[in-house]
């Protein structure tokens, strides 16, 4: 009798535990402002997950860095219990994981066809990198293809003309690539760029036409030429605390992964990106900006050759799996 009662109680508590596991409430850290498209995708993820789980799985989204966490710390933060979930753009991880930070560089990807070609190899490599930190990569949000154009104070229509001016870029890899091409490139913080252009500290800046209006750069840089490349379209990784992820029921885990896959598909608008860039160029033309023809095929090849050398250097310096990841992605890209 006593044995039966103990067995019944164990079964009862077991059922209680299973029922409790089906109702999950997680915190999602989002450092971006609510107005960013990425924030909308995160809110959509929370809605999608609640629907797919029949209300059993809730993501409470904290926007605008309400949790006061630093992107550079994310690989360390996500190993703790708070928050259970977040997302990160790999270039922000340079301090703790140089290989993931440099997994793509400017000068590699030109269009949607090339990006789609490398995406499986890219995500396979990022999955390996994130799991090395005992964090679960739940899925991805796509950054999209942003045209990398040169905005200048006076006309710069060729790579040769670019060598005669001072160029602002946003990262070390861009500095190295342009310097290899004979261009005087330097990093200027975004918040200082308008004044730097206005006063002649720099003559040109590598910047996306689609968001140039956010810093009013078109007011002081009325001449633009596309390089033919996109800014590195490394996707955002959706991160989950690995222990909490593994503790999910099979149903809730499947709901989370399916919701993440839906958001990835929704954010992957690569063909639309080209149309959005052209709309932005047309708007800027109306504000007095002159767009010159895209750099020639020979000039684009010169940029890619320099970028490949920069990429090899960075991944060799990163060590670990970096060289293998570069080889895998380059093979998928099919570029020399």
């Amino acid at each position: 009798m006593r044995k039966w009662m103990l067995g019944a109680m164990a079964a009862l508590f077991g059922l209680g535990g299973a029922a409790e596991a089906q109702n999950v409430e997680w915190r999602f850290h989002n450092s971006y402002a609510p107005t960013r498209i990425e924030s909308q995708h995160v809110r959509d993820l929370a809605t999608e997950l609640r629907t797919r789980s029949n209300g059993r799985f809730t993501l409470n989204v904290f926007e605008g860095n309400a949790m006061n966490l630093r992107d550079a710390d994310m690989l360390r933060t996500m190993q703790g219990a708070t928050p259970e979930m977040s997302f990160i753009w790999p270039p922000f991880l340079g301090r703790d994981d140089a290989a993931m930070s440099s997994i793509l560089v400017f000068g590699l990807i030109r269009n949607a066809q090339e990006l789609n070609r490398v995406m499986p190899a890219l995500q396979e490599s990022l999955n390996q990198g994130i799991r090395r930190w005992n964090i679960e990569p739940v899925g991805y949000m796509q950054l999209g293809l942003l045209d990398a154009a040169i905005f200048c104070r006076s006309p710069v229509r060729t790579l040769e003309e670019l060598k005669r001016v001072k160029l602002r870029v946003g990262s070390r890899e861009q500095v190295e690539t342009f310097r290899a091409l004979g261009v005087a490139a330097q990093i200027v913080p975004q918040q200082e760029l308008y004044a730097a252009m206005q006063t002649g500290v720099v003559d040109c800046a590598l910047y996306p036409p689609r968001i140039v209006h956010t810093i009013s750069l078109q007011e002081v840089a009325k001449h633009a030429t596309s390089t033919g490349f996109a800014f590195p379209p490394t996707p955002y990784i959706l991160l989950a605390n690995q222990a909490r992820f593994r503790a999910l029921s099979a149903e809730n885990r499947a709901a989370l992964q399916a919701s993440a896959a839906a958001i990835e598909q929704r954010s992957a608008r690569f063909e639309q990106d080209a149309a959005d860039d052209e709309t932005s160029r047309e708007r800027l033309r109306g504000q007095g900006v002159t767009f010159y023809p895209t750099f020639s095929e020979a000039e684009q090849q010169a940029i890619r050759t320099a970028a490949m050398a920069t990429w090899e250097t960075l991944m060799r310096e990163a060590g670990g799996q970096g060289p293998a990841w570069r080889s895998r992605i380059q093979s998928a890209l099919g570029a020399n």
Side-chain angles (χ1 to χ4, degrees):
M1 180 70 173
R2 185 169 182 271
K3 187 179 294 186
W4 179 88
M5 288 182 64
L6 288 173
M9 288 174 67
L12 180 62
F13 285 127
L15 286 172
E20 183 179 351
Q22 294 300 311
N23 294 282
V24 180
E25 190 167 341
W26 278 11
R27 289 150 294 189
F28 192 112
H29 161 69
N30 172 14
S31 62
Y32 289 5
T35 52
R36 292 277 296 250
I37 184 63
E38 294 91 343
S39 297
Q40 183 60 57
H41 290 323
V42 171
R43 291 192 292 269
D44 289 346
L45 172 67
T47 300
E48 184 100 14
L49 179 57
R50 190 165 184 83
T51 299
R52 286 179 182 271
S53 67
N54 295 316
R56 293 192 301 267
F57 199 152
T58 300
L59 280 184
N60 294 316
V61 179
F62 294 82
E63 301 181 325
N65 200 23
M67 299 184 78
N68 195 29
L69 302 173
R70 297 175 67 244
D71 288 334
D73 297 334
M74 201 50 57
L75 292 176
R76 305 178 191 192
T77 300
M78 288 306 301
Q79 295 184 55
T82 305
E84 291 85 358
M85 198 166 176
S86 185
F87 71 95
I88 194 66
W89 193 43
F92 292 154
L93 302 176
R95 185 196 64 200
D96 288 336
D97 199 307
M100 279 200 288
S101 176
S102 301
I103 202 160
L104 286 183
V105 299
F106 166 78
L108 295 185
I109 304 298
R110 293 190 286 190
N111 50 47
Q113 291 73 31
E114 291 181 349
L115 181 55
N116 284 324
R117 211 153 59 222
V118 306
M119 190 59 70
L122 177 60
Q123 292 187 356
E124 180 183 358
S125 300
L126 289 171
N127 284 345
Q128 290 175 348
I130 288 296
R131 289 193 176 110
R132 189 171 58 195
W133 287 85
N134 298 317
I135 300 168
E136 188 63 29
V138 173
Y140 291 86
M141 284 194 307
Q142 297 298 339
L143 175 68
L145 289 160
L146 285 171
D147 177 32
I150 307 286
F151 282 83
C152 300
R153 287 152 46 95
S154 57
V156 171
R157 291 155 289 206
T158 65
L159 197 52
E160 191 61 36
E161 291 179 350
L162 190 60
K163 295 176 184 179
R164 303 169 196 159
V165 300
K166 295 168 291 186
L167 174 67
R168 178 268 182 186
V169 295
S171 63
R172 176 202 164 189
E173 46 93 2
Q174 293 167 11
V175 170
E176 299 298 335
T177 293
F178 278 107
R179 283 183 178 171
L181 294 165
V183 177
Q186 60 183 292
I187 296 174
V188 176
Q190 180 166 279
Q191 63 270 25
E192 300 173 15
L193 180 52
Y194 184 100
M197 186 76 73
Q198 188 177 43
T199 58
V201 172
V202 293
D203 305 295
C204 299
L206 189 69
Y207 215 83
R210 210 184 311 170
I211 60 173
V212 75
H213 67 280
T214 61
I215 61 168
S216 303
L217 191 63
Q218 76 279 9
E219 295 177 1
V220 290
K222 295 290 188 181
H223 304 271
T225 303
S226 175
T227 62
F229 289 92
F231 281 93
T234 312
Y236 297 99
I237 314 172
L238 294 170
L239 311 172
N241 175 276
Q242 196 169 76
R244 297 298 297 273
F245 178 80
R246 290 176 176 175
L248 291 173
S249 67
E251 293 81 5
N252 278 334
R253 192 179 306 147
L256 177 58
Q257 291 172 322
S259 299
I263 296 307
E264 179 179 358
Q265 184 175 11
R266 196 173 303 167
S267 61
R269 303 170 61 255
F270 305 142
E271 298 295 346
Q272 183 62 37
D273 284 332
D276 290 345
D277 278 337
E278 183 50 43
T279 299
S280 298
R281 285 190 284 268
E282 193 58 37
R283 183 181 66 247
L284 290 167
R285 288 186 186 102
Q287 297 174 18
V289 177
T290 299
F291 281 87
Y292 301 98
T294 301
F295 280 173
S296 69
E297 184 64 32
E299 290 171 317
Q300 291 180 42
Q301 187 56 49
I303 292 172
R304 175 166 274 172
T305 299
M308 287 287 183
T310 298
W311 193 29
E312 182 178 13
T313 298
L314 292 176
M315 293 302 248
R316 186 176 63 249
E317 288 177 356
Q321 293 173 290
W325 293 348
R326 182 187 65 82
S327 179
R328 175 190 290 156
I329 296 166
Q330 183 175 347
S331 177
L333 180 61
N336 297 318

